[in-house]
Amino acid sequence: MQTQQMIDFLRLANQVAIRVMNSGHHPFGALLVAPDGVTVLEEQGNVDTVNHAESTLARRAYAKYSSDVLWASTLVTTVEPCAMCAATQYWSHIGRLIYGVTEHDLLALTGNHAENPTLNLPCREVFSAGQKGIVVMGPVSEMREEILEVHRSFWRRTQSTQDQ
């Protein structure tokens, strides 16, 4: 996938994140791009602390698509998948990943926030512990500020509510 295509898909995933944020959820968005590299098969925003955008999307896709389709598909997500989401991607057999910003970027922004206890375990480490050659593309530096701005807005608002 070319850089401009990755940026376009990350922008679309970020719009999903904004939509779920405006509905009161954490601003994470994910897409499943078909093997053709053009068609969006699924989109998902964050549901709650356990049902993240990526893991929810991967479980739903696993129930709908064949293993061959999933292996040739790409999970596109605004923020690097946490260990839970990376493992769910691994087990659902989605062969590629594109993400916008790292877990470290998110941790630097949120700190030890009760609603986002970020693990210091990059998705590449999770994947490397397995037996599948999942292709990882990210972070995509061209999208860093655009994605982080959505998170800054959300986590500032959440922090001020928590402080009251």
Side-chain angles (χ1 to χ4, degrees):
M1 196 174 288
Q2 300 297 321
T3 302
Q4 189 57 53
Q5 289 173 292
M6 291 191 292
I7 291 168
D8 292 343
F9 282 127
L10 283 166
R11 280 205 171 107
L12 185 56
N14 206 33
Q15 290 304 309
V16 172
I18 291 167
R19 190 170 62 239
V20 299
M21 177 182 72
N22 291 336
S23 296
H25 301 281
H26 296 168
F28 298 93
L31 310 171
L32 183 66
V33 178
D36 67 8
V38 176
T39 307
V40 175
L41 298 173
E42 302 282 335
E43 67 176 45
Q44 180 66 52
N46 216 59
V47 178
D48 56 35
T49 304
V50 174
N51 295 291
H52 294 179
E54 303 88 349
S55 59
T56 301
L57 181 145
R59 284 190 301 275
R60 197 172 65 238
Y62 180 80
K64 283 175 80 170
Y65 303 103
S66 73
S67 183
D68 289 341
V69 167
L70 291 172
W71 187 249
S73 295
T74 305
L75 176 65
V76 178
T77 184
T78 51
V79 178
E80 179 180 8
C82 70
M84 174 182 69
C85 292
T88 305
Q89 177 179 350
Y90 177 86
W91 287 109
S92 66
H93 203 59
I94 298 170
R96 287 193 256 332
L97 170 67
I98 297 169
Y99 66 89
V101 299
T102 68
E103 277 277 279
H104 288 121
D105 287 332
L106 185 63
L107 178 60
L109 183 67
T110 63
N112 189 22
H113 196 289
E115 291 184 31
N116 194 54
T118 303
L119 290 169
N120 184 19
L121 184 56
C123 68
R124 282 179 172 89
E125 287 186 40
V126 174
F127 295 142
S128 72
Q131 300 173 45
K132 299 177 184 182
I134 294 174
V135 175
V136 179
M137 294 163 275
V140 176
S141 61
E142 294 88 344
M143 287 299 297
R144 185 175 189 277
E145 285 308 310
E146 197 170 320
I147 292 169
L148 286 178
E149 187 50 42
V150 173
H151 282 271
R152 282 185 198 103
S153 170
F154 177 81
W155 295 105
R156 247 185 266 129
R157 193 173 43 218
T158 304
Q159 187 63 44
S160 63
T161 303
Q162 198 174 29
D163 291 343
Q164 294 176 358

